[in-house]
Amino acid sequence: MNRFSLAVSGGIARVTEAALGPYQTAVIRIGFSATWLLFLLRELPHRHELYGPDGPWSWDLAQQLVASNGSFTTLMWSDGRVWFEIVYALAVLSSALLMLGWRTRTMSVLFMAGVLSLQNRSVFMGDGGDNVLHLMSIYLVFTRCARVWSLDARRAARDRAARARGERVTDRTGPALWGVLGFVLVAATLAGRMQGGWLIPALLWTVWVVQALWWLVGRRARTDEPRVLLDVIANIVHNGALLVIMAEACLIYATAGWYKIQGSRWQDGTAVYYPLHLEYFSPWPALADLLSASGTMVLLVTYGTVLVQVAFPFTLFNRRVKNVLLAVMMTEHAVIAVVLGLPFFSLAMIAADAVFLPTGFLRRLGGRAARARDRLPRRGGRTALPGQRAHESPEATHVGFGA
């Protein structure tokens, strides 16, 4: 019983004292925001046909669908072309800033709003990766995904250095963002634009109020207890969201694998052959012909795909086997991106897979990237920052309204 109590207390301490997986959450933040950003930039010339007023799915049809399913989209606030351009531009901007980790909490909310607004406007535009991105954009709001590899982490390090020198640190950008977004939120609510389901509006209001509470505690609290309490709650929410992201990735592969098992083409080992010869999925016909020329190769790839997808959730208990299958799945998605012409589906799935990457590998990767960046020529001097990593200090998670 004593051992059991110690194990329980140790588990509670682990969940409450720290936000787990700082490198993994940073990777999925960068991965999903980069995927959405690249998609929006590629479709920039076709944006009006995909999601705007010139699309086959008209504004009236979208309004009827949104009224029936209660989905959230700011594009239903107005059918004007100017409003559409504003929403699209904000979606591009928030994706870029989230990828860089600037005011990450605020940008994660705007990123979610941009993804939901465009995807719910035209629900028939997508290739499967949009469903993953749709869900992950909501989960990211609950994570503390800027503790490493972000501009917020660098700003936190500079603030700590300034406080150590006795300087006063004042954040004006955070309160300004909070005020502007609060004005938009209040105006939209009073104007009756927050129609449909209650989940997303409630989430927007909750984040807005929590950001104000976080700022007040940081500025007005005379003791550390309120701040510690907020940190504990934020860690619990982050760790819960991280668990949901991992479970979601496992569920995607498990359901895909078990549904494939029921298909006759997957059972006889020929399923991979057919998409290779569909005109829509053949950007490189010669390459598709080369890959499908061998019946043995098609059989191995077909059965191997099913085996990897079904087995992956069970390999999480064995680190070495999990890492091997993870590399296989990422390679498979990279091949799909090239051979079938589905780059954004593959990027979304690789970003989801990245949550299972080993911490040691990610730290080595980050170290190599930092050394490569340091070799680049720079103008002017460079200010040395403290050697302590941002994720090791609770203060690194508090960077004004962008925490």
Side-chain angles (χ1 to χ4, degrees), residues 39-166:
F39 174 79
L40 294 178
L41 293 178
R42 191 194 72 169
E43 301 299 342
L44 189 63
H46 314 292
R47 63 190 183 280
H48 295 128
E49 290 77 14
L50 286 175
Y51 303 111
D54 299 335
W57 191 251
S58 66
W59 193 81
D60 291 334
L61 289 175
Q63 193 174 36
Q64 296 177 29
L65 181 62
V66 168
S68 63
N69 61 17
S71 57
F72 173 85
T73 171
T74 59
L75 289 179
M76 290 295 98
W77 294 2
S78 172
D79 60 347
R81 188 177 296 268
V82 175
W83 177 246
F84 169 78
E85 298 291 356
I86 292 174
V87 172
Y88 200 93
L90 287 177
V92 172
L93 180 62
S94 62
S95 300
L97 294 178
L98 180 63
M99 182 177 63
L100 297 174
W102 185 82
R103 304 288 169 174
T104 309
R105 183 67 67 203
T106 301
M107 290 306 118
S108 66
V109 174
L110 293 179
F111 175 76
M112 177 193 69
V115 171
L116 298 184
S117 295
L118 293 172
Q119 290 188 352
N120 290 336
R121 167 62 176 83
S122 299
V123 295
F124 300 108
M125 302 296 177
D127 53 15
D130 56 313
N131 295 325
V132 179
L133 187 63
H134 191 103
L135 293 172
M136 295 301 177
S137 67
I138 299 175
Y139 301 153
L140 277 176
V141 175
F142 298 94
T143 64
R144 310 182 86 172
C145 54
R147 305 181 70 221
V148 296
W149 298 345
S150 69
L151 296 179
D152 284 348
R154 294 183 61 184
R155 179 160 48 87
R158 289 197 300 268
D159 291 348
R160 288 197 305 273
R163 292 190 184 96
R165 295 191 300 267

Side-chain angles (χ1 to χ4, degrees), residues 279-298:
E279 183 178 357
Y280 182 79
F281 295 110
S282 298
W284 314 100
L287 181 59
D289 291 338
L290 178 63
L291 293 176
S292 60
S294 172
T296 304
M297 178 63 69
V298 171

